[in-house]
Amino acid sequence: MGIISSGFHGKRRTGNPALPQGQYETESFPVLTAGPAPYIARADWEFFITTETGQRRAWSWDEFMALPQVDIRTDIHCVTSWSKLGTSWRGVSLDALFEDVETTSEFTTAHSYGGYTTNVPLQDLLDGQAWVAWEFDGEPLERAHGGPARLLVPHLYFWKSAKWVNGIELTPHDVPGFWESNGYHIYGDPWREERYS
Amino acid sequence: MTANNGSASPGAEDPRFEDRDIAGTTDNPIPHLDGNAAAGPLWELFRIDIIAAIGRCKNCGAVRVFGEAAVYSDAPGIVVRCSSCGGVLLRLVETPTKFWLDVSGLSYLQIDREG
């Protein structure tokens, strides 16, 4: 019996090509968290991007909602072995948020309300691969799942999709985040089963 | 900013309690356990009964019995937080080949000697 709670109580489905090695499909949406869920009113929420030169851009909730909104349908894969297929989200592409940001950095750290961090290479946030999502399954994203808004980087293990996201810091080096600094993989590709460091 | 710091009394109109799946009390928006939940794995590692140990939080300086700490185990690892400030005291991750233990949130642990 391991010490890690998978939050998963579904059935194993083998042979499904949509499931990476070692993953199981679940119909539910398990809540995994490293701490209490912060409460952030939309009026208090902001999303920032800071660069290596100290430039800072920030969007209020209203400014964020005025950006182009897109619907996303994607599979998500949690490192604790559950996968949820065909999930529906709505949010803003990181491409739109980075449109006027000038940087030579290759790495980022996502910061969340409550202190959580996770590192993602910049190229994994761009070209239609990542969003700041605020709606799940047609409803405002529940606080338990990261509402008002969370990062959504579905091609990496879901710990990279930081709940309660507050902003992105461009960094000169790849700086391990909360889980990456304590045993988990620096990159986290589920199709290569990059779970642990 | 966090629910932990909120001072509002629980009430139906309080938006903090809209998410019934995580609501409980103002100070406990997500179910967590006490220090006992981390005792088993730490015993497995060090053969130390940590429940009665006294630890000092590096973040806020609170000195408290480990058993009073808040443990979040529905996660990719075990996260033990200070019950005074919510800061992370200890993280424990089990991989197939290693244990990863981070105690950088503790200034010290004071552990009684047996007998």
Side-chain angles (χ1 to χ4, degrees):
Chain A
M1 180 65 182
I3 61 169
I4 296 171
S5 169
S6 69
F8 171 75
H9 306 286
K11 60 185 177 183
R12 180 168 196 169
R13 183 180 290 183
T14 56
N16 185 340
L19 289 177
Q21 182 71 31
Q23 295 295 111
Y24 304 78
E25 184 181 4
T26 181
E27 300 290 330
S28 66
F29 195 169
V31 174
L32 274 69
T33 181
Y39 174 74
I40 309 108
R42 288 179 172 181
D44 298 327
W45 183 89
E46 77 163 10
F47 182 82
F48 68 79
I49 295 176
T50 59
T51 73
E52 70 279 15
T53 59
Q55 299 293 308
R56 187 179 195 274
R57 290 212 54 180
W59 293 262
S60 68
W61 183 264
D62 290 342
E63 290 166 342
F64 170 75
M65 294 303 286
L67 295 170
Q69 305 290 324
V70 294
D71 293 315
I72 308 113
R73 190 167 178 85
T74 187
D75 303 336
I76 56 177
H77 309 290
C78 178
V79 73
T80 60
S81 83
W82 58 262
S83 289
K84 190 169 175 61
L85 306 181
T87 57
S88 298
W89 306 79
R90 187 168 176 78
V92 173
S93 168
L94 267 292
D95 293 309
L97 291 157
F98 272 95
E99 193 168 284
D100 297 322
V101 174
E102 291 187 12
T103 181
T104 58
S105 291
E106 296 178 15
F107 304 102
T108 79
T109 292
H111 292 266
S112 295
Y113 291 97
Y116 181 80
T117 58
T118 187
N119 56 301
V120 184
L122 179 57
Q123 67 177 12
D124 287 86
L125 295 180
L126 302 178
D127 297 327
Q129 297 183 91
W131 300 266
V132 175
W134 59 273
E135 192 177 279
F136 174 76
D137 224 4
E139 301 288 338
L141 186 61
E142 291 180 1
R143 187 159 55 102
H145 290 301
R150 75 180 299 162
L151 195 61
L152 180 63
V153 195
H155 69 287
L156 301 178
Y157 279 123
F158 212 45
W159 89 76
K160 299 285 188 178
S161 295
K163 295 180 180 182
W164 313 295
V165 70
N166 184 201
I168 302 282
E169 174 192 7
L170 289 149
T171 58
H173 311 287
D174 203 2
V175 182
F178 186 88
W179 289 120
E180 296 87 354
S181 63
N182 206 52
Y184 282 93
H185 198 277
I186 192 79
Y187 183 63
D189 181 350
W191 295 98
R192 295 181 179 182
E193 213 173 351
E194 293 174 342
R195 299 179 194 272
Y196 309 109
S197 61
Chain B
M1 183 59 68
T2 70
N4 254 5
N5 298 331
S7 57
S9 299
E13 71 286 355
D14 188 331
R16 290 168 226 206
F17 295 90
E18 287 177 358
D19 299 337
R20 290 296 168 188
D21 54 339
I22 57 170
T25 67
T26 302
D27 293 322
N28 187 16
I30 279 186
H32 65 258
L33 306 168
D34 65 20
N36 287 282
L42 291 169
W43 170 262
E44 192 179 325
L45 274 175
F46 298 117
R47 294 292 184 265
I48 291 170
D49 184 2
I50 203 166
I51 291 299
I54 292 169
R56 182 181 185 276
C57 173
K58 191 173 273 187
N59 185 49
C60 75
V63 177
R64 302 186 71 142
V65 175
F66 190 86
E68 295 176 352
V71 176
Y72 293 83
S73 55
D74 285 333
I78 288 177
V79 180
V80 182
R81 290 179 178 269
C82 173
S83 55
S84 294
C85 73
V88 176
L89 298 174
L90 178 154
R91 298 181 297 167
L92 179 58
V93 165
E94 179 188 19
T95 79
T97 56
K98 293 180 175 66
F99 286 104
W100 284 73
L101 177 64
D102 168 23
V103 292
S104 61
L106 284 163
S107 304
Y108 62 75
L109 265 179
Q110 184 189 108
I111 302 159
D112 281 345
R113 301 178 66 164
E114 286 183 35

